[in-house]
Amino acid sequence: MDNRPIGFLDSGVGGLTVVRELMRQLPHEEVVYIGDSARAPYGPRPAEQIKDYTWQLVNFLLTKDVKMIVFACNTATAVAWEEVKAKLDIPVLGVILPGASAAIKSSSSGQIGVIGTPMTIASDIYREKILALSPNMSVKSLACPKFVPIVESNQHLSSVAKKAVYESLAPFVGQVDTLVLGCTHYPLLRQIIQNVMGPKVKLIDSGAECVRDISVLLNYFQLNRSREFSDTRYQFYTTASSSSFKAIAEEWLSQSIQVEHVKL
Amino acid sequence: MDNRPIGFLDSGVGGLTVVRELMRQLPHEEVVYIGDSARAPYGPRPAEQIKDYTWQLVNFLLTKDVKMIVFACNTATAVAWEEVKAKLDIPVLGVILPGASAAIKSSSSGQIGVIGTPMTIASDIYREKILALSPNMSVKSLACPKFVPIVESNQHLSSVAKKAVYESLAPFVGQVDTLVLGCTHYPLLRQIIQNVMGPKVKLIDSGAECVRDISVLLNYFQLNRSREFSDTRYQFYTTASSSSFKAIAEEWLSQSIQVEHVKL
């Protein structure tokens, strides 16, 4: 047993989709979340800079005495997960392997689509991981650079969002039976994406898949928090405005939260 | 990626229920299985002896260059898992935590039953793990010493089996909404157990739950075997008669296999 919180990092608010899933599956676990909204999106930045920012987020979480760190960000996972995992002595999880693994299990035609930020798509990491596990799959990738700014500006239900999703996903419609939402911001656009792709396409939420893995690793490393505590604390930090983070987080998590601004 | 086999150990044939589940969920992974049928059942033996036998099985698997070891045996998990896991530098999984965790998620009334060998029940490890995770659960335990000898002698479909299950489980009928099959031999008696307990009781197969965890840990430690190989090799070893092991294994796994006798 280990009653310390789990640390989550993301370039901004997207990782909240993973936290929401954690609250559902493991409601007794405590959370420290840091979102680097001041520097989001990470997607178009050079790899060295993303790695540098990610380490700043990791080091911030370590000051909060977390028992595990979850990269609730595909871009950071693609660029820095292996390095951070190798250097820390607490478990470090990324969202890519759980998503890749779920996509393979979901696809019956072998035609898998992956959408993500420019950096995640340029890294080609989903295709690489999917093909390593299952070489007969066909993986099509597509960068959707408009999606994160839409979500970060709380416009994910707007007509701007609908237009951007319709236009961006046009090349995938009818081409795949499984679509990996390879960015934790994208589940906020899920309904629009499902409408565009059609009801038969299975959407893989890499963050939700990741929470199943968190549960298994908490067991394996014997790090579960006891369910005897009635009180569960969630701490949220952002590098940008706490009020705009709070607005989107409270809507998404359906609860009132405290958010603190932090300078890295 | 790591194309080496996964090692499974059990006191006898019970762990084959875990291998069957592995073949279903991860058909590309190779297996080395060692069953200590000559000294089964482990349940009534003293803890030090079980630990000693378990180390012999572990050391045998290590000579086969396995990438991971699965304790497909609740008794060995209860007695030796933590020690072996701490000493080896490959992942070592037991069946108890996945089973305990699944039982908590399954139970709506909080009334959980656990059946196992005398040693597993005496160790009280399921109750301990379930209550540590979720202190409000009520856990009733019951040793079923007749079950393993019935399965090991390939009598699991006989009227002897039916009688033993009816008599053994009588104290649990109507008392629990979830029953943990806390011994990997017990899924061979599953239909009879379900008939006795009634259709509404959820049976938790600790071995099947364990395979979900194997999949996650293969991802986390990046140990998956590539799915490009069309050929998957299964190696079975037993300390007792290879022909009787082969008979029950082929029936249970629905395929023809090779079994080698080994002296530890």
Side-chain angles (χ1 to χ4, degrees):
Chain A
M1 307 297 295
D2 189 323
N3 293 320
R4 293 178 298 163
I6 301 172
F8 288 80
L9 65 84
D10 181 43
S11 63
V13 295
L16 293 170
T17 63
V18 190
V19 172
R20 185 168 88 157
E21 192 60 31
L22 183 98
M23 289 172 166
R24 199 181 67 77
Q25 291 188 37
L26 301 168
H28 54 290
E29 290 293 343
E30 295 198 321
V31 166
V32 180
Y33 183 99
I34 172 85
D36 196 7
S37 291
R39 300 186 291 199
Y42 276 12
R45 295 179 182 277
E48 276 312 306
Q49 191 176 45
I50 295 168
K51 204 176 272 188
D52 183 32
Y53 290 177
T54 303
W55 270 111
Q56 290 175 22
L57 300 174
V58 166
N59 288 328
F60 173 80
L61 290 172
L62 292 175
T63 68
K64 301 292 174 189
D65 195 25
V66 296
K67 64 185 173 187
M68 170 185 276
I69 289 181
V70 179
F71 279 35
C73 174
N74 281 268
T75 307
T77 304
V79 173
W81 174 63
E82 299 209 12
E83 178 180 307
V84 174
K85 177 168 178 267
K87 288 206 177 152
L88 298 196
D89 54 6
I90 55 173
V92 180
L93 271 84
V95 281
I96 289 173
L97 279 171
S101 182
I104 292 167
K105 286 175 192 154
S106 151
S107 180
S108 50
S109 71
Q111 304 289 322
I112 297 174
V114 178
I115 53 176
T117 67
M119 174 53 84
T120 301
I121 298 305
S123 77
D124 217 22
I125 191 162
Y126 270 102
R127 186 202 311 272
E128 183 192 303
K129 297 296 180 189
I130 290 170
L131 294 184
L133 291 167
S134 196
N136 296 325
M137 298 278 159
S138 161
V139 182
K140 295 183 175 66
S141 302
L142 189 65
C144 298
K146 290 180 183 170
F147 292 7
V148 172
I150 285 170
V151 171
E152 285 287 328
S153 58
N154 206 0
Q155 290 189 284
H156 55 284
L157 302 173
S158 69
S159 57
V160 175
K162 281 181 194 159
K163 185 163 178 287
V165 174
Y166 272 90
E167 287 175 3
S168 301
L169 297 188
F172 269 5
V173 177
Q175 303 296 309
V176 299
D177 74 351
T178 298
L179 181 67
V180 179
L181 307 184
C183 172
T184 52
H185 286 72
Y186 296 180
L188 286 115
L189 298 163
R190 182 176 192 125
Q191 197 49 58
I192 305 176
I193 293 171
Q194 189 80 65
N195 288 346
V196 172
M197 295 303 295
K200 286 190 185 154
V201 173
K202 177 87 186 282
L203 303 186
I204 303 292
D205 176 344
S206 55
E209 298 301 330
C210 174
V211 175
R212 267 171 230 127
D213 289 22
I214 292 173
S215 174
V216 169
L217 290 167
L218 289 174
N219 278 340
Y220 182 73
F221 292 111
Q222 306 201 62
L223 294 177
N224 290 284
R225 181 166 185 259
S226 170
R227 291 182 193 231
E228 75 183 310
F229 298 106
S230 56
D231 213 35
T232 304
R233 202 160 50 122
Y234 303 110
Q235 303 170 62
F236 295 94
Y237 298 90
T238 175
T239 57
S241 146
S242 57
S243 60
S244 77
F245 185 102
K246 190 172 153 73
I248 194 167
E250 291 191 338
E251 183 206 325
W252 183 247
L253 301 174
S254 308
Q255 61 181 268
S256 165
I257 60 161
Q258 294 303 311
V259 183
E260 216 172 293
H261 172 75
V262 69
K263 193 170 153 42
L264 293 180
Chain B
M1 307 296 295
D2 189 324
N3 294 321
R4 294 178 298 164
I6 300 172
F8 288 79
L9 66 83
D10 182 44
S11 62
V13 296
L16 293 170
T17 63
V18 190
V19 172
R20 184 167 88 158
E21 191 59 31
L22 184 97
M23 289 171 165
R24 200 181 65 78
Q25 290 187 39
L26 300 168
H28 55 290
E29 291 292 343
E30 295 198 323
V31 167
V32 181
Y33 183 100
I34 172 83
D36 195 8
S37 292
R39 302 185 291 199
Y42 277 11
R45 294 180 183 276
E48 276 313 306
Q49 192 176 45
I50 295 169
K51 204 177 273 190
D52 183 33
Y53 290 177
T54 303
W55 269 111
Q56 291 175 23
L57 300 174
V58 166
N59 288 327
F60 173 79
L61 290 172
L62 292 175
T63 68
K64 301 293 175 188
D65 195 24
V66 295
K67 63 184 172 187
M68 174 186 273
I69 291 181
V70 179
F71 279 35
C73 174
N74 281 267
T75 307
T77 304
V79 173
W81 174 62
E82 298 209 13
E83 178 179 308
V84 174
K85 177 169 178 266
K87 288 205 177 152
L88 298 196
D89 55 6
I90 56 173
V92 180
L93 270 83
V95 281
I96 289 173
L97 278 171
S101 183
I104 292 168
K105 286 177 192 153
S106 151
S107 180
S108 50
S109 71
Q111 303 290 322
I112 297 174
V114 178
I115 54 176
T117 66
M119 174 53 84
T120 299
I121 298 304
S123 76
D124 216 22
I125 191 163
Y126 270 103
R127 188 204 308 272
E128 183 192 304
K129 298 295 182 192
I130 290 170
L131 294 185
L133 291 167
S134 197
N136 297 325
M137 297 279 160
S138 162
V139 182
K140 296 184 173 67
S141 301
L142 189 67
C144 298
K146 292 182 182 168
F147 291 6
V148 171
I150 286 171
V151 171
E152 285 287 327
S153 59
N154 206 1
Q155 290 190 284
H156 55 284
L157 301 173
S158 70
S159 57
V160 175
K162 280 180 195 160
K163 186 162 178 288
V165 174
Y166 271 89
E167 288 175 1
S168 302
L169 297 188
F172 269 6
V173 176
Q175 303 296 310
V176 298
D177 74 351
T178 298
L179 182 67
V180 179
L181 308 184
C183 172
T184 52
H185 287 71
Y186 296 179
L188 286 114
L189 298 163
R190 183 178 191 121
Q191 197 50 58
I192 305 176
I193 293 171
Q194 189 80 66
N195 288 347
V196 173
M197 295 303 296
K200 285 189 186 155
V201 173
K202 177 86 188 284
L203 303 186
I204 302 293
D205 176 344
S206 55
E209 299 300 330
C210 174
V211 175
R212 268 172 228 128
D213 288 22
I214 292 172
S215 174
V216 170
L217 290 167
L218 289 173
N219 279 339
Y220 182 74
F221 292 111
Q222 305 202 59
L223 294 176
N224 290 285
R225 181 167 185 257
S226 171
R227 292 183 191 229
E228 75 185 311
F229 297 106
S230 56
D231 213 35
T232 304
R233 200 160 52 120
Y234 302 111
Q235 303 171 61
F236 295 94
Y237 298 90
T238 175
T239 57
S241 147
S242 59
S243 62
S244 77
F245 184 101
K246 189 171 153 75
I248 193 167
E250 291 190 338
E251 184 207 322
W252 184 246
L253 302 175
S254 308
Q255 60 181 267
S256 165
I257 60 161
Q258 295 303 311
V259 183
E260 216 171 290
H261 172 76
V262 68
K263 195 170 150 44
L264 295 180

